[in-house]
Amino acid sequence: MSVAPLTDGLLCGWRIRSAIALPELLEWQGDDRPPDLTVRLGDVDEHLPEGRTLSPFLEIDGTGTGLLQVPEVGRFLVRPSGGITIAPQPEASAAEIRLFLLGSVLGLVCHQRALLPLHASSVVIDGGAVAFCGPSGMGKSTLALRFARRGHAVVSDDVCVLDSGGPARVRPSFPRLKLWRDAIEDASLSPEGLERNRRGQEKYHFLEPEAGVRDSLPLRAIFLLRRPERGEVEGIERLSAPLDILAALEAETFRLPVGRALGTEKALFQARTLIASTVPVYQLRRQPDAPPERWLDAIAAIVRG
Amino acid sequence: MSGLALIASYPKSGNTWLRAFLASHLHGGQPIDLNGDLVRIRNVTGRSLQDRHAGLEHSDLTPNEVALLRPLSSRRIARQQPGLYKTHDSNLVPPGAREPAIPADAIDRVVYIVRDPRDVAISMAHHFGWSLAASVDRMGDTAFCIGLSSPGLNMNIEQWVSSWSAHVESWLDAGDLHLLPLRYEDLLADPPGHFTQLCRFLGLDDTRHAVSRSLEASSFTALADQEARTGFRERYAASTAPFFRKGGAGGWRGELPPELAERVACTHRRVMARFAYR
Amino acid sequence: MPLSPNSEVVRRPHPLEAAIGDTQVLLDVEQGLYFGLNAVASSIWQRLEQPIRVGDLCHSLMAEYEGEEARIEAEVFAFLAQLEAQNLIDIRA
């Protein structure tokens, strides 16, 4: 396979050298260090010799190496050294390969490096990162899109990586949002020309290429998106009980069992307690199918204090 | 209980009524909140449940990949979170997969509800906002799936339902399952008798007083009144009628045009005869 | 193990801990459970780093907090029983 030389990219502060093009990423402009992450194409065995199954499509071995297998996309071998080998399925599209490289594999890399990945979309508000967490379908990416349309840079979609040590900072990933057709059309945009998340799927990759963020940012606030339960009204409320905040941050940890399997509980606990003691965490209760627009000003006002 | 205790049925066959009854019964016959308490008997295909046990997001997978993944996730749910669940899955091996979505070894026992397909056709049409003819077509379609995400995310993941006849036979003729079949029409005709049987099968309190209390809390009027007051979260967005619409048997005689009734009877003749649907 | 003033109590090894505001938070990694301790509970917890007799623990708390001996003792016993129930301490006769 002949591959045109690609420039190195910037992913969460890491220098990444990749055999496949990663249009989501900004170009690396930092020092001339060797790459932190290297993506190659090559053969990958079906199992790790000493691996144990952590979830149906993921094995981990004692050295911290992970093997992700997505039946119609391919195998991803992820070494703690930062070496990533991909054996794609012949029919896999480039977008499908990047979807898992910049999603599940990125989460694995974070856990290998004892960094806390939150399952969150995040945008820049008032010079800091504001993260939206919550179950699928609650509108994380949709809120991020609405902020992006108002000129706010997108810091992450899906995987929001916290830096180690204090104060709490976010390592920007890339300005791509995964959006269903209805969310795109509700924002008066068209999915035409956008790459599909998976073949035949009505979910698309929306890229704001000019809007990437290079340097780490202070984490300004976390909003947990929830559906109002019975007796509750829509609204925003700050969580105050430390145990509630920690439980929420644990629930919103991306690929939590991977961190446990790799023995990084201590680092994750420190990252969560740092957030709980220094970053305001709010619950945003709204009906997921209600227009998101009315919340944007309220969110921005709360963040700006 | 070890593994999954399933309330299984083709869609619109009385599953939600049983869930309402059980939601009340598990709490001593208390009145239930439709939008809060039905989660006591969760849908096994709920997206967040499935995502958590699969360790990834089903919204990033193709239907074929979901079909390969589901049996593996079902076993994990059976091991880590056993209990009562509802499902509309058929007990068939989906194309491209090697086993059914919920394999027999993940199942503790199954309550299977069957309802006259002509009444199902009417109820499905109202629920999904389809024409009666479309509803009848889907019921004969062995490729029929629900839980598809288009144009937006579905709160359930993909379920391969297949045709009405194939669905019924896949569960009732499985052979390797501890199974209680219930006819919806029998449940309606003699609620105390059949719900007592249900409770006994599930190892729940089957005393007359307890059963009748829970039946009252989950009566059709109680549920329909509540939906009229507060709405029902599980009602489909395109529905043309309330979720709790009539809850009767034999409504098709007045509502289903004779040629459609004949088509249902023709397509599903063998299975209908088994349940004396004439 | 029944608790008496002569029992010796000590923390079980290695829960993770951190202060969040006034709350001391413990994470028992094995059980995956979080615990929150208020100021008084946390000052008892601090004293359990090395094995200590329950009687001595009560005396040292009485020196710091005003209160009737019987009441402090009752509260300490109740709290230690909770800690033991959650597998956070060992009690030796």
Side-chain angles (χ1 to χ4, degrees):
Chain A
M1 173 174 264
S2 94
V3 181
L6 295 166
T7 49
D8 291 351
L10 170 68
L11 173 65
C12 302
W14 295 307
R15 178 175 196 159
I16 179 167
R17 181 161 297 168
S18 172
I20 59 170
L22 302 173
E24 289 87 348
L25 306 189
L26 295 174
E27 197 176 296
W28 175 260
Q29 291 177 354
D31 53 30
D32 57 0
R33 71 173 87 165
D36 302 291
L37 302 169
T38 307
V39 180
R40 297 181 191 86
L41 295 172
D43 292 334
V44 174
D45 289 339
E46 192 180 343
H47 293 289
L48 291 174
E50 310 269 312
R52 69 183 182 93
T53 303
L54 201 60
S55 53
F57 291 170
L58 181 68
E59 291 177 27
I60 300 268
D61 73 12
T63 70
T65 295
L67 171 62
L68 173 75
Q69 290 198 65
V70 187
E72 297 183 345
V73 179
R75 296 181 187 146
F76 300 76
L77 180 69
V78 187
R79 296 198 172 81
S81 61
I84 299 166
T85 308
I86 307 176
Q89 286 292 322
E91 74 272 22
S93 75
E96 287 178 318
I97 295 168
R98 298 200 313 274
L99 166 68
F100 287 94
L101 176 64
L102 299 174
S104 294
V105 170
L106 173 58
L108 190 51
V109 168
C110 291
H111 284 298
Q112 285 172 335
R113 286 155 197 246
L115 296 177
L116 171 63
L118 284 179
H119 195 172
S121 300
S122 58
V123 296
V124 179
I125 299 178
D126 201 25
V130 173
F132 303 109
C133 299
S136 286
M138 281 304 302
K140 301 184 288 286
S141 302
T142 304
L143 270 179
L145 172 69
R146 296 306 177 104
F147 275 109
R149 300 310 289 165
R150 288 188 171 193
H152 295 265
V154 175
V155 181
S156 74
D157 192 27
D158 266 5
V159 194
C160 178
V161 183
L162 273 292
D163 216 340
S164 57
R169 295 182 74 83
V170 172
R171 294 165 160 246
S173 35
F174 42 83
R176 181 213 67 198
L177 299 170
K178 287 153 59 183
L179 294 159
W180 290 93
R181 174 186 282 275
D182 55 2
I184 294 173
E185 290 176 346
D186 285 347
S188 310
L189 296 164
S190 160
E192 196 149 329
L194 300 184
E195 280 183 305
R196 284 181 195 267
N197 189 57
R198 295 302 307 272
R199 65 199 78 158
Q201 197 181 43
E202 289 287 11
K203 192 180 191 183
Y204 297 86
H205 291 181
F206 180 83
L207 197 58
E208 289 271 17
E210 303 307 315
V213 179
R214 209 161 260 290
D215 299 317
S216 79
L217 292 163
L219 177 61
R220 294 292 300 273
I222 295 176
F223 288 84
L224 307 165
L225 310 187
R226 298 280 182 270
R227 187 198 283 275
E229 289 306 322
R230 60 174 140 173
E232 290 180 341
V233 289
E234 292 195 316
I236 299 176
E237 190 184 341
R238 182 165 174 183
L239 294 187
S240 56
L243 291 190
D244 290 349
I245 299 174
L246 291 176
L249 294 175
E250 178 153 322
E252 303 299 350
T253 300
F254 189 75
R255 308 291 186 257
L256 178 67
V258 178
R260 288 212 177 112
L262 296 177
T264 60
E265 288 96 340
K266 189 169 181 187
L268 297 183
F269 177 73
Q270 283 165 348
R272 288 188 199 111
T273 51
L274 175 69
I275 293 173
S277 40
T278 58
V279 179
V281 177
Y282 302 91
Q283 209 172 57
L284 195 179
R285 288 188 302 265
R286 62 180 279 267
Q287 293 299 344
D289 42 3
E293 210 63 35
R294 66 175 274 221
W295 298 104
L296 304 187
D297 290 334
I299 291 167
I302 285 173
V303 171
R304 297 198 169 102
Chain B
M1 197 174 289
S2 68
L4 308 175
L6 298 174
I7 311 295
S9 73
Y10 191 85
K12 307 312 290 175
S13 298
N15 207 310
T16 304
W17 182 25
L18 258 71
R19 283 168 71 210
F21 170 84
L22 291 167
S24 169
H25 200 66
L26 294 170
H27 283 233
Q30 293 292 314
I32 55 154
D33 175 343
L34 269 184
N35 293 306
D37 296 334
L38 285 195
V39 292
R40 288 172 196 154
I41 301 95
R42 303 167 71 179
N43 193 333
V44 78
T45 54
R47 184 169 296 278
S48 50
L49 176 80
Q50 290 282 341
D51 279 359
R52 192 166 62 252
H53 286 279
L56 44 68
E57 293 72 39
H58 288 74
S59 57
D60 286 337
L61 301 178
T62 61
N64 280 345
E65 288 168 347
V66 172
L68 287 167
L69 174 59
R70 288 215 41 209
L72 309 177
S73 302
S74 290
R75 291 196 177 95
R76 297 173 84 90
I77 299 171
R79 221 168 35 239
Q80 296 165 13
Q81 237 178 310
L84 265 176
Y85 292 89
K86 89 157 217 188
T87 186
H88 291 313
D89 283 302
S90 63
N91 189 28
L92 296 165
V93 181
R98 289 180 282 270
E99 28 182 10
I102 313 177
D105 56 85
I107 298 175
D108 178 76
R109 61 195 76 188
V110 182
V111 175
Y112 188 82
I113 320 164
V114 58
R115 182 183 187 188
D116 189 318
R118 294 161 296 195
D119 282 334
V120 173
I122 292 168
S123 188
M124 285 238 290
H126 287 291
H127 180 70
F128 288 109
W130 295 336
S131 70
L132 288 169
S135 187
V136 167
D137 284 347
R138 299 273 157 79
M139 292 179 68
D141 179 3
T142 52
F144 179 43
C145 288
I146 58 174
L148 304 177
S149 289
S150 177
L153 186 70
N154 194 306
M155 291 324 289
N156 285 296
I157 62 162
E158 292 84 349
Q159 303 142 66
W160 187 43
V161 175
S162 190
S163 74
W164 181 85
S165 288
H167 194 279
V168 173
E169 289 186 311
S170 76
W171 285 107
L172 293 188
D173 298 340
D176 50 357
L177 296 173
H178 183 32
L179 185 103
L180 173 69
L182 291 173
R183 276 168 96 248
Y184 181 77
E185 294 75 14
D186 293 341
L187 291 169
L188 276 177
D190 173 21
H194 290 99
F195 280 87
T196 301
Q197 208 186 346
L198 169 75
C199 290
R200 199 167 299 149
F201 180 75
L202 293 174
L204 304 172
D205 185 351
D206 62 354
T207 55
R208 206 173 50 148
H209 176 71
V211 171
S212 66
R213 220 179 116 112
S214 309
L215 271 173
E216 205 166 302
S218 56
S219 75
F220 183 81
T221 4
L223 302 180
D225 283 357
Q226 207 181 115
E227 184 184 6
R229 281 199 313 277
T230 62
F232 182 32
R233 183 187 286 178
E234 296 181 24
R235 180 173 178 266
Y236 195 69
S239 285
T240 53
F243 188 96
F244 298 101
R245 195 181 55 93
K246 276 196 175 155
W252 64 272
R253 289 181 200 278
E255 291 184 60
L256 200 62
E259 68 274 16
L260 288 180
E262 185 47 41
R263 219 162 88 205
V264 174
C266 192
T267 313
H268 305 289
R269 183 172 314 280
R270 194 184 57 224
V271 178
M272 283 175 71
R274 259 176 91 167
F275 295 93
Y277 292 136
R278 296 192 180 86
Chain C
M1 175 80 52
L3 207 52
S4 83
N6 284 323
S7 314
E8 204 177 59
V9 291
V10 66
R11 287 186 204 171
R12 299 197 61 199
H14 309 317
L16 300 171
E17 45 177 306
I20 301 176
D22 295 338
T23 306
Q24 187 73 13
V25 175
L26 312 180
L27 168 61
D28 182 338
V29 173
E30 259 170 53
Q31 307 179 74
L33 291 176
Y34 287 93
F35 302 94
L37 306 180
N38 64 19
V40 179
S42 146
S43 97
I44 299 177
W45 178 252
Q46 301 307 333
R47 289 168 163 82
L48 302 180
E49 202 167 348
Q50 299 298 327
I52 184 171
R53 266 186 67 248
V54 175
D56 295 343
L57 174 63
C58 293
H59 282 122
S60 100
L61 288 165
M62 269 182 292
E64 188 173 334
Y65 297 95
E66 311 242 316
E68 292 165 45
E69 183 173 348
R71 208 178 126 222
I72 288 188
E73 214 167 75
E75 284 186 11
V76 168
F77 271 65
F79 178 59
L80 292 176
Q82 276 182 36
L83 289 177
E84 197 207 10
Q86 302 289 358
N87 280 316
L88 291 170
I89 57 168
D90 285 324
I91 300 177
R92 300 168 198 154

